[in-house]
Amino acid sequence: MQVVILAAGQGKRMRSVLPKVLQPIAGRPMLEHVIAAAQTLDADRTCVVYGHGGDAVRARLQHAEVAWALQEPQLGTGHAVQQALPHLGEDGMALVLYGDVPLIGAPTLRRLRDAAGSGRLALLTVELPDPTGYGRILRDAAGKVVRIVEEKDASADERRVREVNTGILVAPIARLRDWLGRLGNDNAQREYYLTDIIGMAVGEGIDIVTVAPDAVWETLGVNSKPQLAELERIHQRNIAARLMDEGVTLLDPARIDVRGEIVCGRDVEIDVNCVFEGRVEIADDVRIGANCVVRNARLGAGTRLAPFSHVEDTTTGRDCVIGPYARTRPGTTLGDGVHLGNFVEVKNSAIADGSKANHLAYIGDADIGARVNVGAGTITCNYDGANKYRTTIEDDVFIGSDSQLVAPVRIGRGATLGAGTTLTKDAPAGELTVSRARQISIPGWKRPVKK
Ligand code: UD1
Ligand code: CA
């Protein structure tokens, strides 16, 4: 099987600088979804037909294993497929897909491929309550497909037909070459219609078979932002349904967004309005509060993200408690039972088992041992304006509130830092280190009075 993906259309109605097929569904370009669907069929070759201004398309998808065919100018869908022919093999079957029909599913495509076999023409068609705008499937009295007529070329009677062409089809490549070479553009749009090959195939006695998709939404195309949003919701609803099938509790399946891969263990509970990006692995019994954003993270069993937490490139151990309003940035590794409370930011730091920073702290470029208590308002001063330095805090340290740890600096095992300390030298293990000025009181002092 070889695949042609048509992606040359301009997408004017998007009113965007970004080419239409790069507009995202679940954070990935629509075209990438289509290429992924094609790949599930083990296609020998996939050729993307791209258009004027398509450098951005090629650049964005340069990692994809596809051939590129430029279609310039764009003279219709038949002309578009013709541009791909030099990139396809001599024979076998070709599947035509569309870069702006992103939700097409692999099971539907497999059925279409199987229906086509090794020599038939298979069309993916759907019955729509309102077929306006689509090419209509015309059948003879015996129910055999005889041709497709475009809306703009159709008679009033033909327009009443509700079975429409999705555009997706499978055809024998050798015949396709011949048919496309004979296409004319004598029609209402002065375009070379791919759909005209159906009439030619019928003329040659080639069997035309039709297949319906598993779901109509698989065949929906995107021409505007409202349509993009509609397909995004359908896609997210499908992901939510899969997660629930796997046993995840979603407080509201309509309010979750997964823009990447999410893998969940048993008895995971996710509250409303959470966004998951990149690869996210969630172990058993994890609970995620409302309005969290989780990107490229592994959350250990029993961990709880309280609402409004933002977790990125982070790994946690078991039973951590994060948030509300906590932020972990890239390079955060937490052991078991670590607590990060409200307005605590952690970056490029490892925090070992049982340590806590419960309120208002910045921990950057630090290695923190086990059972450490980081007081409210503690800040690692990791950056001198030019370079970054590490802070090391050994096991069982207690850091008083409002301390500044000026890196590079080390706090020895079991040390205590008095509140308000500005630590510029290492603090010895087991001792109290305080850097604040001694407190004094002035007896008999009077407040000034107004003259
Ligand atoms: C096409 C079909 C119609 C079908 C409908 C489904 C034809 C002649 N008509 O109509 O039967 O019901 O799709 O949506 O095929 N494209 C190119 N190069 C071109 C023209 C189009 O790459 O020169 C791409 C577009 O980017 C788009 C797709 O082909 O992804 C369909 O093109 P469009 O012009 O939207 O076709 P329709 O008129 O909607
Ligand atoms: Ca269209």
Side-chain angles (χ1 to χ4, degrees), residues 235-253 255-270 274 276 280-282 288:
H235 185 60
Q236 293 299 341
R237 188 190 70 200
N238 294 340
I239 295 171
R242 175 180 59 79
L243 288 172
M244 291 187 294
D245 278 346
E246 292 170 3
V248 177
T249 299
L250 299 180
L251 275 290
D252 182 356
R255 283 183 289 169
I256 175 173
D257 282 80
V258 178
R259 302 177 192 143
E261 272 179 284
I262 180 170
V263 182
C264 293
R266 276 184 186 276
D267 296 304
V268 168
E269 185 183 294
I270 301 173
C274 291
F276 299 90
V280 175
E281 288 174 40
I282 300 176
I288 298 182

Side-chain angles (χ1 to χ4, degrees), residues 5-11 20-21 49-51 71 73-81 96-101 131 133-137 148-153 164-169 187 189 191-196 219-223:
I5 301 174
L6 302 193
Q10 266 203 311
K20 178 160 81 168
V21 294
V49 181
Y50 70 108
Q71 186 200 17
Q74 285 131 44
L75 303 178
T77 50
H79 177 255
V81 174
V96 179
L97 296 174
Y98 298 82
D100 58 359
V101 182
Y134 289 89
R136 308 298 206 282
I137 307 292
I148 296 179
V149 63
E150 291 305 299
E151 161 109 4
K152 290 191 174 118
D153 302 295
V164 306
N165 174 33
T166 65
I168 295 172
L169 57 81
N187 53 50
Q189 303 182 77
E191 283 182 7
Y192 296 88
Y193 289 164
L194 175 61
T195 44
D196 283 349
T219 68
L220 297 178
V222 172
N223 294 304

Side-chain angles (χ1 to χ4, degrees), residues 121 146-148 195-204 208:
L121 182 53
V146 289
R147 89 192 151 87
I148 296 179
T195 44
D196 283 349
I197 68 170
I198 283 79
M200 294 181 187
V202 170
E204 292 178 15
I208 315 282

Side-chain angles (χ1 to χ4, degrees), residues 199-223:
M200 294 181 187
V202 170
E204 292 178 15
I206 291 192
D207 278 347
I208 315 282
V209 289
T210 57
V211 165
D214 290 347
V216 170
W217 50 255
E218 289 183 38
T219 68
L220 297 178
V222 172
N223 294 304

Side-chain angles (χ1 to χ4, degrees), residues 68-118:
W68 296 92
L70 178 66
Q71 186 200 17
E72 172 58 21
Q74 285 131 44
L75 303 178
T77 50
H79 177 255
V81 174
Q82 212 173 15
Q83 310 313 304
L85 289 178
H87 299 274
L88 304 184
E90 279 305 309
D91 39 37
M93 302 296 280
L95 164 68
V96 179
L97 296 174
Y98 298 82
D100 58 359
V101 182
L103 301 186
I104 186 66
T108 292
L109 292 180
R110 280 196 293 271
R111 281 193 296 111
L112 189 69
R113 174 192 64 189
D114 296 346
S118 59

